[in-house]
Amino acid sequence: MIKMKRPKVGDTIYVETSLYIDHGADDVLGGKATVTIVTRSREGDWYVCVKEHPGTHYNWSYLGPRQAELKKEYGRRRARPDPDYG
């Protein structure tokens, strides 16, 4: 696994699309997102939260190495909420 330098608050990173069957109001489309929180777990993993999907903690050891792939997939698109109230 490729180690990526952890982001800082205010940095722009890429996040994936997240769709939820049981609470679609929290659905978000992937793309560029602004880091709002960076925390470390007891186990030593780094987690980031982004403005576009508040309350979700992304594991940086998983998301970090995928930044080039996500950039290719989403390009200049910004992440954004896409709630499904159905």
Side-chain angles (χ1 to χ4, degrees):
M1 185 181 297
I2 300 170
K3 288 270 188 177
M4 296 286 297
K5 182 178 175 184
R6 74 178 176 271
K8 299 181 295 279
V9 172
D11 284 354
T12 299
I13 64 169
Y14 285 88
V15 296
E16 301 174 297
T17 294
S18 297
L19 304 173
Y20 302 95
I21 294 171
D22 59 342
H23 53 102
D26 293 330
D27 289 357
V28 65
L29 296 179
K32 287 182 174 184
T34 303
V35 176
T36 57
I37 299 171
V38 180
T39 59
R40 192 168 195 178
S41 71
R42 289 182 186 169
E43 294 79 20
D45 292 322
W46 289 98
Y47 287 84
V48 296
C49 296
V50 296
K51 179 174 88 174
E52 294 76 6
H53 200 192
T56 298
H57 293 75
Y58 292 93
N59 185 323
W60 188 246
S61 63
Y62 169 75
L63 195 61
R66 299 192 61 230
Q67 290 299 289
E69 171 190 341
L70 294 170
K71 181 178 181 178
K72 186 175 180 179
E73 181 177 348
Y74 295 113
R76 296 188 310 201
R77 268 191 304 191
R78 298 288 307 179
R80 64 178 178 84
D82 186 31
D84 176 6
Y85 298 110

